[in-house]
Amino acid sequence: MRRSMLFIPGNNPGMLQTAEVFDADSIIFDLEDAISISEKDSARNLVKYFLTSFNLGKKEVVIRINGLDTLYYNDDLDAIVNDNIDSIMVPKANIEELNKLSLILDKYEEKRLMKKKIKLIPIIELASSLLEVEDIAKLKRVDGILLGAEDLTSDMEVERTKEATEIFYPRAKIAFACISEKIDAIDTPYTNTLDEEGLYKDCQLAKSIGLNAKACIHPNQVDLVNEVFSPSKKQIEYAKRVIDATLQNENKGAFSLDGKMIDKPIIERCKKVLEKAKRFGLLR
Amino acid sequence: MNSLNRYVPNGFNKFTSSSAYKDKKRIVIDEVISTNTNKLLNNISEVFDKIGIKDGDTLSFHHHLRSGDYVLNMVCEEIKRRNIKNLTLAPSGIFPTNRILSDLIKNKNVIKIYCNYINGEVARTICNGEMEDLLIMQTHGGRPRAIESGELKIDVAFIATPTANLYGDGNGIDGKSACGALGYGISDTKYAKNKVVVTDNLVDEIKYKEIDGKYIDYVVKVDEIGDKNGIVSGTTKVTKDPIGLKIAKDATRFLDEAGYLTDGFTMQTGAGGTSLAVASFVKKVMINKNIKAKMASGGITGYFVDMLENGLVEKLMDVQCFDLDAVRSYRENDHHYAMSASQYANPYDSPIVNQLDFVILGATEIDLEFNVNVTTASNGLIIGGSGGHSDTAHGASLTIIVTPLVKSRTPIIKEKVTTITTPGEDVDVIVTERGIAINPKRLDLIEKLSNSSLNILSIEELLNKAQMLTGIPKPINLGKKVIGVVEYRDGTIIDSIYKWGK
């Protein structure tokens, strides 16, 4: 369960060192787009040795590797697959390559006597991948799917706009696919790092469609993303009251609270609110 | 050694505690009223002739024009031309633009300096041990205390004044060099033996009088006293640096959870990007809670002007303007008041700092006893000075230091700071990006924040965190020669400053 995932370029020692300071649920160490070809090896080594020396506590450690259609992914995997990481983010993902990657990871996990089973977070960046997204969501290692709107709109040859109408369908499709498999539906980053109001509106829109988390490309975006994708104080208080009232009305299918009917769907929603609140340390 | 186990040279009083001034009586010498009626002089050289400035005199200046000031340099040129020796200078601040002073120090024209803040080449020259006598680093409140008590005797005060009349009345709000409040020069005008207003805007009538002509002996008209654009103090905008913002957010949460953000609170923050970010987050809390601040004080920036103009702050108490928005506001807004350095911070003048609910300050180093250094870098080079740091830290009910835990691969928290500027007894909280430490003496805060989700650690834990990132830095080897002292606001010595390098 995530709210915010912060991208950190793998070749920047200063940024690696301060990544843990921010309240992102996941840190994505990027070996792909943010790294020029001449820096690929140094980024790979820097991230590898950084993760050996630094403990990022409860934060999820994600590595965005280079795509399986490149020359670099094998070296990426060789360097970073170990118990220091939690997940691998896969660019331009499709079913075939995800299955291939899963088999490679099986071998690494066995050979390196790993305690962890590495999770996969595919990025949907191609129209063809979007059409496969329901199957992708079903894959065993996949526990979240990220919409990569910049590449996807490029593939579609449509303009990427602030209003984001062009990505309504991909957002909704990913949300449905993920929710049905109880995995995270992660929204595309908001690329204007100075536009706080725009980020807020974009988060609200994504949330209203059903996505539950968002990738961040700047640390200053994290708090706002967390705020939008966390249950509010009001929601938490209400959920607590509903659950308390449920315990007092154990044998009733439905009962009344503040003059409103409380039945199973509301109770389930409240349970989810409290589960999220607990996960994100919002319960006092 | 003083109570903080720091060396104090012979002939100086040792620091005992930040409250020790309360056991002493205020000493105030008589004000010096001018009897001169024909005050206008044509240039700085005439001032030297008329007053008879000679070897061994003490000359003072204020630093309101900051990096844009020409007056200190003009006087230094004249000293150089006449080759006057063994002078003591007492400017409230020295900036990199005052590099001519380095030559005067090397040539023994100037052998001793009192000031509240110094950086640049002059600081380097002094750190190299090239000044004959000592550098006395005072505080903004300690300087007027020393002047009014006669401890710092000034022979001639040169008061850069953006607008003045022939009688010597003047202000900082009018004229091409308007720099705003002139708070640091007020004590000099009252107690120096000779007072000289230096202006580039001589007018018949002064509408608003901050410098009172009754004290002034001479008025000199020059082409330019400075460049007002030079008053802009470092960063006067809210930081965009994610680490600075994280620190500021946590400091604001701390203030709120500790109960300091209630209707009618009073505050001071520095002009640095992180301090201003605290102000910006405080502003958001104020809007959400629908509360107002009663007062903001200190050096004033456009950010606080904006809060005043939007009804979030009732009044500004301004000792110096940090940007031109502040100058405009001081000129136009009746709720933007100037104060003298004495009214601001002199421990014996019921100063404004005593009314502060909280102050947000910076640090170059902090030790495990919460002592703070803002005087020297960790390599021993002088890079600043107290200014109002120790004054506000003592006066405010809550003193928060905001700083990254590590700067340029150097931990900010150390077992022992290079130089103590502000004693740990007056520092309550340190907010870094990796955790917050509360001074164990503030049991009230520890209790109030006991259920907070903020990352509250002991200062030892913060030190460990820093050292895990950087390793333990090798101690620097400072020379044994004392080149200066840090004078606490009560006139006692809190620490010595040593010759830089081996």
Side-chain angles (χ1 to χ4, degrees), chain A residues 17-18 20-23 54 194 196 218-220 223 281 284, chain B residues 240-243 245-246 249 253 257 284 433-434 451 453 469:
Chain A
Q17 185 198 292
T18 54
E20 61 144 338
V21 163
F22 306 105
D23 291 329
F54 278 74
L194 301 175
E196 207 172 287
H218 194 283
N220 290 351
D223 284 355
R284 295 275 178 88
Chain B
K240 289 191 172 74
D241 168 48
I243 296 290
L245 287 173
K246 157 85 177 158
K249 249 179 222 174
R253 271 187 63 193
E257 291 184 24
K284 280 184 186 167
E433 76 281 18
R434 292 172 197 272
N451 288 322
S453 61
L469 291 169

Side-chain angles (χ1 to χ4, degrees), chain A residues 1-3 5 25-26 60 121-122 137 142-147 174-175 177-179 181-187 210-214 276 279-280:
Chain A
M1 196 185 293
R2 310 165 175 99
R3 295 165 299 178
M5 304 184 76
D25 299 320
S26 316
E60 182 192 23
I121 303 171
V142 172
D143 80 338
I145 295 176
L146 170 65
L147 168 62
I174 288 172
C178 291
I179 291 164
E181 294 302 321
K182 295 190 168 42
I183 61 173
D184 286 329
I186 306 154
D187 195 34
L211 294 109
N212 67 291
K214 193 169 180 73
K276 274 191 182 179
R279 163 72 178 84
F280 300 134

